[in-house]
Amino acid sequence: MADDETPSQTQESSTAREFSANGTSMSTTDVEAKLDKGNIEEAESSLRERLSLNSEEARTLLGRLEYQRGNVEAALRVLDGIDLQAAIQKLQPSSQQAARLVLEGVYLKVKSLQKLGKFAEAAQDCTNILDAVGRIFPQGIPDAQVESKLQEMISKAVELLPELLKQAGKYQEAMAAYRRVLLNPRNLDNDCCGRIQKAFAVFLLHSGLEAGPPSLGAQADGAYVPKNNLEEAILLLLVLMRKIHHGDIQWDPSVLDHLMYALSLCSQTPVLSKQLEELKPGVFHRTERWNLLALCCSGVGQNKAAMNLLRKSLHINERPNDLTALLLAAKICSEDSQLAAEGVGYAQRAVDNAKGVDEHLKGVGLRMLGLCLGKQAKVSSSDFERSRLQNEALKSLDSALSFEQDNPDIIFELGAHYAEQRNLNAALRFAKKYIDITGGSVMKGWRLLALILSAQQRFAEAEVVIDAALDETGKWEQGPLLRLKAKLKVSQSRPMEAIETYRYLLALVQAQRKSFGPMKIDSQVEDDKVKEFEVWYGLAALYSSLSHWKDVEVCVKKAREMKQYSAELVHTEGFMHQERGEIQEALASYINASLLDPFYVPSKVWIGALLSKLGSNSLPVARTLLSDALRIEPTNRKAWYHLGMVHKDDGRLADAIDCLQAASMLEESDPVENFRSIL
């Protein structure tokens, strides 16, 4: 039954209408004529005489007629004459038909008030209906005895009340009404109860009003009590999904949409995966299920599983041109250099298929294409190929920006790409634009700007930028900024100030851990360990540059408590051995660091440098290691310098000059921290 329909005994056809009550029928023609002339009392009297009705019942039939004719204001005038309280006194639980007629009259009045925008009055009258039901049936309505039309009308009133309260702006009362209904469902059928649960869940998710936990009187002993709107909404939606699984209510795709949104807000996509897996075959096309499961997996970092699902979905025999799946696959590939080439294919297909109503997604596809090309360039073994891929990446990002001119992500990525290629003026322009468009609210924008300024040897300005960023950043998020500030102080030959900055940062990290205490989840604790490790490692590197070896040993020991196996720490120990003249021990440490992380460039550089000093027989190995380091990090000036020295010792003077010139140029534009650290 639609919302504007009402329970009715009136028999209608396209040619005639009539009233029926108490076994008697009469045409509506005479009554309509009287109503058209404004003779409400005469129309009422006629009905009472012909159909043996009381005043309230007659008014209900007249109001229903006017409502069905579309005369809402006229219906309201008629129905205003119903004295609900007086009618209740006359009614008994055994006379359900009479009760239904009177309550239906008030319900029609509620609907009329709603159509006229008088929501507060409508809500009050709707409350009166439900109160009246409670008085007429103080012991509740027995399931076996309730008249179906009466139950239908009561169900509609129950469902309507919270909607009216929301329309009237009485949001707290609406939430109380939802909870009251769900605690005392008044014989509601599964479908009606399901609609109310869904409406309440949607309201909790999107109202912007914090409901707070249910009252103590509504809490059952031992039951789980939701702490906030989000938890309560998720519980309601999970109950609805359970009803769908059991066949109690029909499949409603919007329930899953709302659940997907709610669970994504709290990073609980594995729960959504379980719900998807429990759905019966045929509810979703298998590719849709694979795509949603892939989205759930990627949401918790299970990218390998996500890609396996997407490859199935995008197979030529399934839906190879599904735009959403292509974009998700490209995004996952853009985060992994080893998958970048595969991602380029997905992104290009997404761009090619972004047509018609999906034209607006072409910019997203071009952005993913640029990111995948940039990642692919990082693992290219050819300098020419790397340069070509980097240029194509920039072209794709520029094209993406033409579709989405105010997209801060594209602006940031262009700035970072230009910075990596040492086009510092262009990088600076995009970094400033990113800070402007985000209002300085995102830390990585400040870091990028400071790194670009440091690459331009403008260290004092970079430190001013970091100080401004610290003012805009919450206390617990300042770690990366403070580490960068310490490195800027080192670059300005102020090592003692850098040490103080690190000490302050260490105190901040430890205070953060204590402030959360034992209630922190495992991932948060692990994250803090990594942050504390970075502080101790930074201090170790700083003391190493000052040749304070005792302090280096202390810091390395502390860092190892945070992270036992680390290429960075082993490398730092190697540098300490090297500075002490312990070449074999240094070489062993550098090799161990490379074994821990085959992509750790500093150890490859120093292995190559040390080998180059062991004689001509070691030069080919040194050259291979240094070339491999440059393949991973083409802008590493130390790798260029030592490769130049290897070429010089090997008699390749032209190659040596090229390498040394590259090292010299890079030294003039070397940031205090690798640009890759912010990507």
Side-chain angles (χ1 to χ4, degrees):
M1 181 177 288
D3 284 346
D4 288 342
E5 293 177 353
T6 60
S8 173
Q9 286 182 302
T10 303
Q11 306 297 318
E12 297 187 57
S13 69
S14 59
T15 57
R17 284 189 286 193
E18 62 179 24
F19 292 116
S20 297
N22 297 322
T24 308
S25 299
M26 66 173 287
S27 172
T28 64
T29 305
D30 293 341
V31 174
E32 287 181 273
K34 290 182 175 63
L35 290 173
D36 290 340
K37 293 178 181 179
N39 297 328
I40 297 174
E41 286 76 12
E42 290 184 20
E44 178 190 333
S45 177
S46 177
L47 278 179
R48 292 175 63 182
E49 292 175 4
R50 297 280 298 275
L51 300 179
S52 302
L53 301 173
N54 61 33
S55 176
E56 287 76 18
E57 293 168 339
R59 288 266 174 172
T60 295
L61 293 179
L62 291 174
R64 178 199 297 163
L65 177 63
E66 290 286 42
Y67 189 86
Q68 290 173 339
R69 294 167 69 196
N71 302 329
V72 178
E73 292 183 355
L76 189 58
R77 285 195 296 271
V78 172
L79 296 166
D80 264 336
I82 296 178
D83 187 345
L84 178 63
Q85 302 304 322
I88 292 172
Q89 301 298 325
K90 305 173 188 176
L91 295 174
Q92 299 296 323
S94 58
S95 58
Q96 291 190 29
Q97 182 176 348
R100 176 183 57 76
L101 272 174
V102 174
L103 295 176
E104 182 188 339
V106 184
Y107 179 78
L108 284 168
K109 180 183 176 184
V110 169
K111 293 296 294 181
S112 300
L113 288 168
Q114 183 187 27
K115 283 182 175 290
L116 295 172
K118 299 178 179 180
F119 304 119
E121 295 177 48
Q124 183 56 57
D125 280 340
C126 195
T127 301
N128 292 340
I129 292 175
L130 299 178
D131 290 344
V133 171
R135 291 173 190 163
I136 297 170
F137 305 100
Q139 305 302 318
I141 307 175
D143 289 342
Q145 298 177 18
V146 65
E147 185 190 51
S148 62
K149 292 185 179 293
L150 174 60
Q151 180 61 60
E152 183 182 356
M153 194 278 299
I154 294 171
S155 298
K156 289 176 73 66
V158 167
E159 192 172 350
L160 182 60
L161 178 57
E163 296 300 321
L164 291 171
L165 290 167
K166 288 190 293 186
Q167 290 172 333
K170 298 181 178 182
Y171 302 119
Q172 291 290 355
E173 291 91 333
M175 288 189 179
Y178 275 126
R179 285 173 172 161
R180 190 164 54 246
V181 167
L182 295 176
L183 285 169
N184 181 19
R186 297 176 185 263
N187 305 87
L188 300 180
D189 61 31
N190 284 329
D191 288 334
C192 181
C193 188
R195 288 194 300 271
I196 294 172
Q197 287 173 320
K198 186 178 90 168
F200 188 23
V202 171
F203 187 51
L204 288 166
L205 285 174
H206 304 293
S207 67
L209 183 73
E210 187 58 48
S215 63
L216 292 175
Q219 298 177 17
D221 291 341
Y224 176 77
V225 179
K227 300 179 183 65
N228 51 47
N229 286 24
L230 184 59
E231 284 193 8
E232 191 166 3
I234 290 172
L235 284 173
L236 286 166
L237 292 167
L238 288 173
V239 168
L240 285 170
M241 289 298 293
R242 182 59 53 196
K243 288 182 177 180
I244 290 171
H245 296 326
H246 291 166
D248 295 333
I249 60 176
Q250 292 184 341
W251 163 244
D252 181 353
S254 67
V255 172
L256 186 62
D257 291 340
H258 292 304
L259 182 60
M260 192 182 308
Y261 168 73
L263 291 171
S264 67
L265 290 178
C266 55
S267 301
Q268 290 298 320
T269 52
V271 178
L272 182 61
S273 296
K274 187 173 185 299
Q275 295 297 316
L276 289 167
E277 290 166 355
E278 289 181 356
L279 286 176
K280 295 178 181 178
V283 172
F284 269 130
H285 191 281
R286 60 176 175 269
T287 57
E288 292 181 44
R289 192 191 299 253
W290 290 337
N291 292 345
L292 287 172
L293 284 170
L295 193 61
C296 293
C297 291
S298 68
V300 290
Q302 298 173 1
N303 287 340
K304 184 176 180 180
M307 282 305 303
N308 288 337
L309 289 162
L310 290 169
R311 290 183 184 113
K312 290 169 62 176
S313 174
L314 293 168
H315 190 273
I316 191 170
N317 294 327
E318 297 294 342
R319 293 182 179 174
N321 296 322
D322 185 290
L323 198 53
T324 303
L326 287 169
L327 290 173
L328 178 57
K331 180 182 183 300
I332 294 171
C333 292
S334 72
E335 299 168 1
D336 187 339
S337 298
Q338 303 306 312
L339 296 176
E342 183 181 357
V344 169
Y346 295 133
Q348 188 61 63
R349 281 159 59 187
V351 172
D352 295 340
N353 284 281
K355 301 172 183 175
V357 295
D358 294 323
E359 181 84 21
H360 64 290
L361 292 174
K362 183 164 284 189
V364 182
L366 286 165
R367 178 189 167 213
M368 291 301 113
L369 180 59
L371 294 178
C372 288
L373 287 166
K375 281 286 186 183
Q376 189 181 3
K378 293 183 187 333
V379 294
S380 174
S381 58
S382 160
D383 291 341
F384 173 79
E385 183 70 6
R386 183 187 305 116
S387 178
R388 183 187 69 81
L389 291 170
Q390 287 174 339
N391 289 333
E392 287 187 14
L394 284 172
K395 286 180 183 177
S396 294
L397 290 173
D398 276 327
S399 298
L401 191 61
S402 67
F403 282 89
E404 303 179 41
Q405 296 181 5
D406 294 325
N407 187 320
D409 291 327
I410 300 175
I411 292 169
F412 177 83
E413 285 149 6
L414 277 166
H417 274 74
Y418 278 119
E420 278 201 288
Q421 294 189 29
R422 297 299 195 269
N423 187 342
L424 298 180
N425 290 331
L428 186 64
R429 185 174 71 254
F430 280 107
K432 289 180 176 178
K433 186 176 181 181
Y434 179 79
I435 289 175
D436 288 340
I437 206 166
T438 59
S441 61
V442 185
M443 185 203 303
K444 67 180 182 180
W446 293 105
R447 290 182 63 206
L448 176 60
L449 179 57
L451 285 176
I452 293 169
L453 290 171
S454 74
Q456 294 178 328
Q457 311 303 304
R458 296 157 66 180
F459 300 115
E461 292 177 59
E463 192 171 346
V464 170
V465 167
I466 293 299
D467 287 337
L470 288 168
D471 291 338
E472 298 290 330
T473 307
K475 183 178 180 182
W476 302 129
E477 288 78 43
Q478 292 180 347
L481 295 172
L482 289 168
R483 287 203 310 273
L484 187 51
K485 184 173 182 176
K487 293 176 181 179
L488 287 168
K489 289 184 180 297
V490 171
S491 298
Q492 297 173 80
S493 302
R494 291 149 54 192
M496 300 314 295
E497 292 182 29
I499 290 171
E500 286 304 313
T501 302
Y502 271 120
R503 285 176 176 168
Y504 172 75
L505 176 55
L506 183 61
L508 185 66
V509 170
Q510 292 172 339
Q512 180 183 16
R513 188 170 66 250
K514 289 178 182 178
S515 68
F516 287 98
M519 299 302 293
K520 298 179 70 177
I521 60 175
D522 292 342
S523 61
Q524 288 176 307
V525 174
E526 187 63 30
D527 190 42
D528 277 354
K529 284 184 179 179
V530 172
K531 289 179 181 177
E532 189 169 348
F533 162 80
E534 290 170 352
V535 179
W536 285 114
Y537 167 67
L539 272 171
L542 176 53
Y543 283 126
S544 179
S545 67
L546 298 173
S547 300
H548 293 184
W549 306 121
K550 292 290 186 184
D551 292 323
V552 173
E553 290 174 356
V554 171
C555 293
V556 166
K557 182 180 178 182
K558 287 287 188 181
R560 185 158 279 130
E561 292 174 4
M562 303 291 108
K563 191 175 179 182
Q564 186 173 2
Y565 300 106
S566 162
E568 294 95 332
L569 289 182
V570 177
H571 175 81
T572 300
E573 290 176 329
F575 186 75
M576 183 168 57
H577 288 306
Q578 183 179 338
E579 291 298 298
R580 289 172 170 175
E582 301 163 355
I583 302 303
Q584 291 301 321
E585 290 83 350
L587 195 57
S589 293
Y590 292 144
I591 292 172
N592 287 336
S594 292
L595 291 172
L596 283 170
D597 183 358
F599 296 97
Y600 188 65
V601 169
S603 290
K604 289 180 181 291
V605 172
W606 280 117
I607 294 171
L610 290 177
L611 287 176
S612 68
K613 297 175 182 179
L614 297 180
S616 58
N617 290 336
S618 301
L619 292 180
V621 179
R623 184 167 59 249
T624 299
L625 285 164
L626 292 166
S627 298
D628 191 44
L630 288 170
R631 180 186 61 80
I632 299 170
E633 192 178 318
T635 55
N636 189 295
R637 63 180 178 84
K638 290 182 179 179
W640 282 110
Y641 171 78
H642 289 294
L643 182 60
M645 298 306 293
V646 168
H647 284 315
K648 174 178 172 294
D649 293 341
D650 208 20
R652 296 186 175 90
L653 297 182
D655 290 338
I657 290 171
D658 289 341
C659 290
L660 293 172
Q661 283 180 338
S664 178
M665 292 173 61
L666 288 170
E667 186 174 15
E668 294 173 1
S669 60
D670 215 20
V672 296
E673 190 174 287
N674 198 309
F675 285 117
R676 294 188 182 189
S677 66
I678 56 174
L679 292 175

